[in-house]
């Protein structure tokens, strides 16, 4: 097949390859699609480039999606159009097309796993490290939200939604009354003071990171064991190959998402965010008056500086985030 595709790539005439059979296939014969190809036009705009022995042996018909077709009953190869055999044997074409796509998928999964499996130990190690950080981040988020809502009764989330801190600014405006007369009125408006990072940790709708992460790491370990029983990945059945490839891809995405989310949420205890919240919360015009500061591993939050509740910041949450190894196709 490499020789055929190289000929098409350099010559642009599939029907002139030396091994191509120009005769029309017999009715009811078996057919196997081995590969696909596009016919180059070398800069010339053309829609119909190559003839097809199935239906138009003397006229050019197709350009893209040509098929290298093997006819085992005759032991010959024909280079045909993408749907051309369907006109002779619709059922045979559909069966060959289905088998070809299934074979493509199997080869894709096998190639993917052969390339990526050497990275699996490092991915699992990274996942385990991130899992410890995720558990700490989940614990901190849950404690922070619970203390704010049930102990301090501070509606911080409602006042920092989307990371925007506002001030209440009182202004005088002229407005028309119901009788049409214009009157001077006092109006309170929100004015942006600053923005902060890490506000997502306050969202009561936020889900835990660790459970999904752990499920995917466990699946990786199971997949690693199953494939480890095979001398060659390609010895695995189609279902095992597909599940293994999907497990690898999904776990990698979940680990990467966990790293990103931890990096984002822990910014709530960063020096810049804490300083901004502390200054804003002390302003008379702030939409929420409160006290917030950090003392070592404690985040101190309260309605005023003298009545603060300590919220422990787990050291695991602030470890250096690991770097997930890049996959070979990235």
């Amino acid at each position: 097949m490499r020789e055929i595709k190289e000929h098409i790539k350099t010559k642009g005439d599939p029907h002139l390859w030396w091994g191509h059979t120009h005769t029309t296939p017999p009715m009811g014969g078996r057919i196997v699609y081995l590969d696909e190809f596009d016919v180059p036009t070398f800069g010339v705009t053309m829609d119909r480039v190559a003839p097809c022995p199935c239906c138009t042996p003397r006229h050019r018909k197709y350009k893209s999606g040509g098929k290298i077709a093997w006819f085992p009953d005759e032991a010959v190869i024909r280079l045909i159009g993408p749907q051309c055999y369907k006109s002779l044997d619709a059922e045979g074409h559909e069966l060959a097309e289905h088998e070809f796509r299934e074979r493509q998928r199997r080869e894709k999964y096998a190639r993917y796993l052969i390339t990526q499996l050497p990275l699996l130990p490092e991915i699992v190690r990274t996942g385990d490290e991130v899992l410890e950080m995720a558990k700490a981040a989940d614990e901190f988020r849950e404690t922070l939200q619970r203390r704010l809502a049930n102990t301090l009764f501070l509606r911080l989330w409602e006042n920092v939604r989307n990371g925007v801190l506002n001030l209440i600014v009182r202004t005088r405006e002229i407005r028309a009354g119901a009788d049409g007369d214009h009157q001077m009125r006092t109006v309170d408006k929100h004015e942006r003071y600053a923005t902060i990072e890490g506000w997502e940790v306050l969202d009561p709708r936020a889900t835990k990171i660790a459970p999904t992460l752990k499920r995917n790491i466990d699946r990786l370990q199971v997949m690693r064991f199953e494939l480890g029983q095979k001398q060659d990945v390609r010895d695995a059945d189609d279902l095992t190959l597909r599940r293994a490839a999907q497990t690898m891809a999904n776990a990698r995405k979940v680990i990467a998402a966990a790293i990103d989310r931890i990096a984002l949420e822990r910014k709530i205890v960063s020096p810049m965010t804490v300083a901004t919240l502390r200054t804003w919360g002390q302003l008379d015009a702030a939409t929420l008056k409160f006290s917030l500061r950090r003392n070592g591993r404690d985040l101190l939050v309260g309605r005023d500086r003298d009545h603060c509740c300590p919220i422990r910041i787990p050291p695991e949450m602030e470890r250096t985030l690991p770097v997930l190894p890049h996959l070979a196709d990235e």
Side-chain angles (χ1 to χ4, degrees):
M1 284 190 292
R2 182 178 299 175
E3 178 189 336
I4 297 173
K5 299 187 80 169
E6 184 63 27
H7 169 88
I8 296 171
K9 180 181 177 181
T10 56
K11 305 294 184 183
D13 293 310
H15 57 293
L16 297 182
W17 176 63
W18 67 269
H20 172 68
T21 301
H22 298 267
T23 59
T24 303
M27 297 293 292
R30 291 180 295 161
I31 181 174
V32 178
Y33 292 142
L34 302 178
D35 206 343
E36 293 177 306
F37 59 86
D38 295 332
V39 184
T41 57
F42 308 105
V44 179
T45 301
M46 298 174 64
D47 294 328
R48 299 171 180 267
V49 183
C52 174
C54 290
C55 48
T56 57
R58 294 180 178 83
H59 302 90
R60 299 181 184 274
K61 180 173 183 179
Y62 69 95
K63 174 183 176 181
S64 303
K67 287 186 167 59
I68 302 174
W70 165 249
F71 293 82
D73 294 338
E74 303 171 81
V76 299
I77 285 178
R78 292 181 175 90
L79 306 179
I80 65 178
Q83 299 286 326
C84 293
Y85 188 72
K86 191 173 183 179
S87 63
L88 299 178
D89 182 359
E91 184 178 347
H93 165 77
E94 295 297 338
L95 178 61
E97 181 79 12
H98 173 74
E99 291 176 344
F100 176 58
R101 298 304 172 197
E102 286 295 313
R103 198 163 60 250
Q104 274 188 319
R105 279 189 284 269
R106 176 179 174 81
E107 291 170 359
K108 174 186 173 183
Y109 294 141
R111 285 195 304 269
Y112 174 81
L113 289 169
I114 289 170
T115 304
Q116 311 309 338
L117 282 176
L119 300 174
L120 185 54
E122 180 65 12
I123 291 175
V124 171
R125 186 200 65 75
T126 301
D128 288 337
E129 189 175 344
V130 175
L131 180 59
E132 292 304 308
M133 300 180 71
K135 290 177 180 177
D138 288 341
E139 176 190 345
F140 174 78
R141 184 190 321 103
E142 185 178 274
T143 301
L144 176 61
Q145 291 189 16
R146 187 175 62 247
R147 295 278 176 82
L148 288 171
N150 302 332
T151 303
L152 301 169
F153 304 104
L154 281 172
R155 301 173 66 85
L156 188 55
W157 163 246
E158 290 82 352
N159 286 274
V160 303
R161 197 182 302 237
N162 299 322
V164 178
L165 308 180
N166 288 310
L167 300 177
I168 300 174
V169 179
R170 181 159 294 180
T171 61
R172 300 277 289 172
E173 292 185 355
I174 297 177
R175 292 191 176 183
D179 56 2
D181 292 337
H182 287 80
Q183 300 175 350
M184 185 70 71
R185 295 188 177 183
T186 301
V187 179
D188 288 340
K189 289 186 175 182
H190 280 187
E191 182 179 284
R192 177 177 293 198
Y193 168 75
T195 59
I196 59 167
E197 295 182 306
W199 55 271
E200 293 87 352
V201 76
L202 300 169
D203 189 345
R205 300 164 299 181
T207 57
K208 290 185 176 182
I209 305 172
T212 301
L213 183 57
K214 185 177 187 307
R215 281 196 300 273
N216 279 269
I217 294 172
D218 288 346
R219 288 169 185 162
L220 271 183
Q221 296 283 30
V222 172
M223 180 267 285
R224 186 181 182 182
F225 174 78
E226 288 179 348
L227 292 184
Q229 307 303 302
K230 309 289 183 183
Q231 290 187 350
D232 191 315
V233 167
R234 289 164 293 194
D235 294 336
D237 58 74
D238 291 355
L239 181 60
T240 299
L241 274 180
R242 184 176 76 249
R243 284 179 175 173
Q246 290 172 344
T247 295
M248 184 80 164
N250 291 340
R252 203 270 180 183
K253 290 177 182 177
V254 169
I255 295 171
I259 291 173
D260 290 343
R261 189 170 163 195
I262 293 168
L264 182 68
E265 290 190 359
R266 71 183 188 178
K267 289 180 180 179
I268 196 72
V269 296
S270 68
M272 181 175 291
T273 297
V274 170
T276 303
L277 284 170
R278 180 179 66 246
T279 303
W280 172 70
Q282 294 172 353
L283 297 174
D284 292 336
T287 57
L288 180 68
K289 292 279 292 179
F290 72 106
S291 175
L292 181 143
R293 65 187 189 278
R294 179 168 178 172
N295 182 20
R297 301 233 60 83
D298 288 328
L299 188 67
L300 304 174
V301 188
R303 290 198 168 272
D304 57 67
R305 187 179 179 86
D306 297 328
H307 300 87
C308 285
C309 176
I311 300 171
R312 189 70 174 170
I313 303 169
E316 296 86 356
M317 191 179 87
E318 294 190 295
R319 288 177 184 167
T320 301
L321 282 163
V323 177
L324 192 63
H326 287 294
L327 300 184
D329 58 356
E330 292 183 320

